[in-house]
Amino acid sequence: MSHITDLTLAEIRDGLKAKSFTSAEATKAYLDAIEKARGLNAYVLETPEQALAMAAKADARLAKGEGGPLEGVPLGIKDLFATEGVRTTACSHIIDNFVPTYESTVTSQLWRDGAVMLGKINNDEFAMGSSNETSAFGPVVSPWLPPNWSAEQGREKLATARANGRTPNGFLVPGGSSGGSAAAVAARLCPGATGTDTGGSIRQPAAFTGIAGIKPTYGRCSRWGIVAFASSLDQAGPFGQTVRDCAIMLKSMAGHDPKDTTSMDLAVPDYEAAIGKSVKGKVIGIPKEYRVDGMSAEIDALWQKGIDWLRDAGAEIREISLPHTKYALPAYYIVAPAECSSNLARYDGVRYGERVAGREITELYEKTRAAGFGAEVKRRILIGTYVLSAGYYDAYYVRAQKIRTLIKRDFELAYADGVDAILTPATPSPAFGIGEKAGADPVEMYLNDVFTVTVNMAGLPGIAVPAGLSSEGLPLGLQLIGRAFDEETLFTIGHAIEQAAGSLGKPQNWWA
């Protein structure tokens, strides 16, 4: 039943309802694919027994004509979501043996609607990274081969690196922090996966791997039970092969949660109903500030293609200004580390997780955190602690929050002027190589988020849509930014771009 893994999430859902195959058959097909793709390092924990048990229960419900919207559909879960009785580590050594006694709200809603858990998926440590190279489990390898590599070369190089315990340098990164989720969907190791997005961690990896991913409006999905990075920026969202797949998953993931005080008590629309609607008359804003120095000519050309596709579909194209965009990245890298410093203070070796003994409490803290946290997490904790310190709080943190307000106001003014959505590139370049930027100037890595952080700073929804291939055959994506709690418009316009762009194809199955 390996052909099942080529189906979209929507096709699997419909096939299960039509009894074309069973959930057990679909789940087994994905488990087999995961086993053959272990070299990609997309999954950090496989849960085959639990998956098959969940599938059996789903099949029993389907046989009776019962079941939820995702009944029997296998999914991958980012290792940032607490899963009851199943190890959850945030891909950090400091909690590498943590087994939650509770379930995150998002995953509990997926199980409520009948989904099946295939396993936990790799991510950057505590979601801090843009390439999935900071994980304590090692980097994820993109299923897309570097230019001019044959399938045989890729297979041999990966096998050699894994056998010798070496970092698979030269392969492409899948993006981050949700790189494992993006790689798993792109490699057909699951039809859909959960992710989190703090500054672009769903949209950037989706663009790098040629799939769709949406960061919903802040407050649309509960953050309860998700390991926190930056609480005012973090938001859960789905990955899928298509825009429709994301719409289907988001319907189950979204909703009010009284356990999360930032969760909005709003009705969840039928997002799938927005797919296929006309974009005629929609006003699409094109922000002039997103034409940044050093942007690839291919990205600029793709952006123009997206503009042309939407104009041809009947949308009105309007140039707009978001004047505070240039301050978004530096402001983000003050706000996010500050919140990270506060959130990660709980990992001290006293209550749970890693503990390295010391002669007194301060030494225990120091040794535990030195051993448990990776280099990027330490860097952000240090930055965050610095900007929150008494002498610098007003100069850095308060000023960054003021800039954040101005960024949000820029968007509000554009939407008040009649703009329905804003079209931008998703990334400044195609995927880069493992080891190419890690360990170098961290600012160079941070620049990967240049087009995405504004969305999180303003709390708005944003979707990345696969839109083309580079001259070297690597995926490229476009981003749509919408009004708060208007994900439906993004699904409508995103689907139109997806249809105009056509299929990018899928990666070669070179790793098997």
Side-chain angles (χ1 to χ4, degrees), residues 60-131:
R61 289 189 289 268
L62 287 165
K64 297 176 184 176
E66 301 172 354
L70 291 173
E71 198 64 56
V73 176
L75 298 176
I77 303 300
K78 184 177 180 178
D79 200 30
L80 223 61
F81 292 78
T83 42
E84 185 177 2
V86 178
R87 191 189 72 191
T88 302
T89 71
C91 295
S92 176
H93 284 310
I94 207 157
I95 49 170
D96 57 9
N97 292 311
F98 177 55
V99 179
T101 57
Y102 55 92
E103 191 80 33
S104 79
T105 297
V106 165
T107 51
S108 68
Q109 290 173 180
L110 292 171
W111 313 148
R112 173 203 66 196
D113 285 354
V116 170
M117 182 170 71
L118 294 168
K120 302 302 286 291
I121 294 184
N122 207 341
N123 52 258
D124 279 304
E125 184 181 10
F126 283 104
M128 297 179 202
S130 300
S131 62

Side-chain angles (χ1 to χ4, degrees), residues 422-489:
I422 295 168
L423 178 69
T424 78
T427 61
S429 70
F432 49 89
I434 293 174
E436 186 178 322
K437 297 185 179 183
D441 180 359
V443 174
E444 186 179 354
M445 185 72 81
Y446 298 164
L447 289 172
N448 282 285
D449 303 327
V450 65
F451 297 131
T452 53
V453 295
T454 53
V455 179
N456 300 78
M457 293 291 271
L460 299 173
I463 189 170
V465 181
L469 297 172
S470 72
S471 58
E472 295 181 316
L474 300 181
L476 301 173
L478 290 172
Q479 174 182 229
L480 287 161
I481 306 168
R483 291 187 178 94
F485 301 102
D486 187 18
E487 290 85 3
E488 294 158 286
T489 295

Side-chain angles (χ1 to χ4, degrees), residues 197-287:
D197 192 313
T198 305
S201 290
I202 288 174
R203 290 157 290 151
Q204 184 246 26
F208 273 5
T209 56
I211 62 172
I214 184 169
K215 173 231 171 271
T217 310
Y218 184 79
R220 177 61 90 180
C221 295
S222 172
R223 292 183 299 108
W224 194 87
I226 301 173
V227 179
F229 163 14
S231 299
S232 75
L233 300 164
D234 298 342
Q235 184 60 197
F239 288 93
Q241 290 180 40
T242 66
V243 172
R244 182 183 295 274
D245 289 352
C246 290
I248 293 168
M249 274 191 72
L250 184 59
K251 172 69 173 172
S252 293
M253 293 173 68
H256 178 244
D257 179 10
K259 295 191 293 292
D260 176 3
T261 57
T262 63
S263 172
M264 296 299 291
D265 190 3
L266 296 171
V268 179
D270 179 2
Y271 294 120
E272 192 177 3
I275 303 294
K277 288 186 176 180
S278 174
V279 301
K280 189 173 182 179
K282 296 287 187 187
V283 178
I284 310 298
I286 309 298

